[in-house]
Amino acid sequence: MKAPDHFKTLFSPQDIQVMVEGLAEQVDKTLPAEEPVVCVGVLKGAWIFHADFCRALKRPVTVDFIRASSYGAGTSSSGVVRILKDIEVDVRNKHVLVVEEIVDSGRTLSFIKQRLEQAGAASVKVVALLDKKQRRAVPFQADFVGAEVGNHFVVGYGLDWGENYRTLPGIYIVPGEALH
Ligand code: 5GP
Ligand code: MG
């Protein structure tokens, strides 16, 4: 699918590929060899990034998903995080990588990180493709970040706008879509 003409390209598919491979290389270097790793993708937005990132790692991993919600149907966070779908694999004594496409207020990831630590993971590290650092509502720092983005609403590569545009190949700014 092609992006509408008025969308502004922020990252091309090639830019994204470079970021994903760079992140996988960094993560591979820091994780202990020979120890089990679980990659937990945050649904739905991280679905494509998770698939590409896990396959770019040069080690075997177990794949799982979690789904939490701090967003309604609009473009701003409601502040309340709920788990809509929990992990299914046993993460006890395993190294967990939480794979998220974008950090905004930080609420979703701080909640998910706590949830995985409580589940007994040996370590929990967060890999975020994009980071809107200026928009934190709670203190939160991802361990690995692909790129920082400004105060824009972005879509594509898994990210939606009212459930549309997830299958766009790049990442685009939706002009005029204000953030609250
Ligand atoms: P947080 O809890 O950090 O505020 O929310 C993070 C989640 O909000 C992201 O995983 C993503 O699903 C959604 N989100 C944040 N910023 C954007 C954006 O610019 N575009 C889209 N489509 N979703 C976003
Ligand atoms: Mg997400």
Side-chain angles (χ1 to χ4, degrees):
M1 181 192 172
K2 197 180 155 296
D5 288 342
H6 68 291
F7 282 17
K8 191 171 160 270
T9 303
L10 186 59
F11 297 108
S12 69
Q14 291 72 27
D15 297 334
I16 296 171
Q17 194 185 341
V18 170
M19 286 197 279
V20 172
E21 283 168 7
L23 283 169
E25 202 180 313
Q26 280 180 55
V27 172
D28 257 327
K29 277 192 216 142
T30 58
L31 284 173
E34 312 291 328
E35 285 187 39
V37 173
V38 184
C39 279
V40 176
V42 185
L43 293 172
K44 294 185 201 177
W47 142 72
I48 298 179
F49 173 47
H50 183 250
D52 286 348
F53 172 79
C54 294
R55 290 178 299 167
L57 290 171
K58 293 194 169 60
R59 61 172 69 231
V61 293
T62 306
V63 164
D64 203 356
F65 293 95
I66 194 164
R67 182 154 188 228
S69 172
S70 72
Y71 271 46
T75 56
S76 68
S77 173
S78 69
V80 181
V81 183
R82 291 182 299 145
I83 297 269
L84 302 178
K85 183 220 152 317
D86 208 350
I87 48 165
E88 292 169 31
V89 304
D90 183 357
V91 297
R92 271 177 299 174
N93 307 317
K94 293 175 187 157
H95 297 280
V96 173
L97 291 172
V98 181
V99 183
E100 171 70 300
E101 81 290 1
I102 191 163
V103 193
D104 187 19
S105 72
R107 287 191 185 102
T108 310
L109 282 171
S110 29
F111 188 85
I112 286 175
K113 201 171 171 189
Q114 247 178 33
R115 160 79 194 100
L116 292 164
E117 278 162 357
Q118 278 162 6
S123 70
V124 182
K125 293 264 186 319
V126 174
V127 185
L129 182 63
L130 304 176
D131 191 353
K132 292 185 187 171
K133 273 219 169 96
Q134 314 113 292
R135 291 196 24 100
R136 289 295 190 281
V138 298
F140 180 81
Q141 176 77 54
D143 299 279
F144 305 92
V145 173
E148 285 188 30
V149 297
N151 194 8
H152 306 291
F153 188 74
V154 297
V155 296
Y157 196 66
L159 287 147
D160 75 312
W161 182 21
E163 289 304 328
N164 293 312
Y165 305 118
R166 289 194 196 275
T167 57
L168 294 180
I171 295 174
Y172 310 84
I173 295 173
V174 180
E177 191 49 39
L179 293 168
H180 306 286

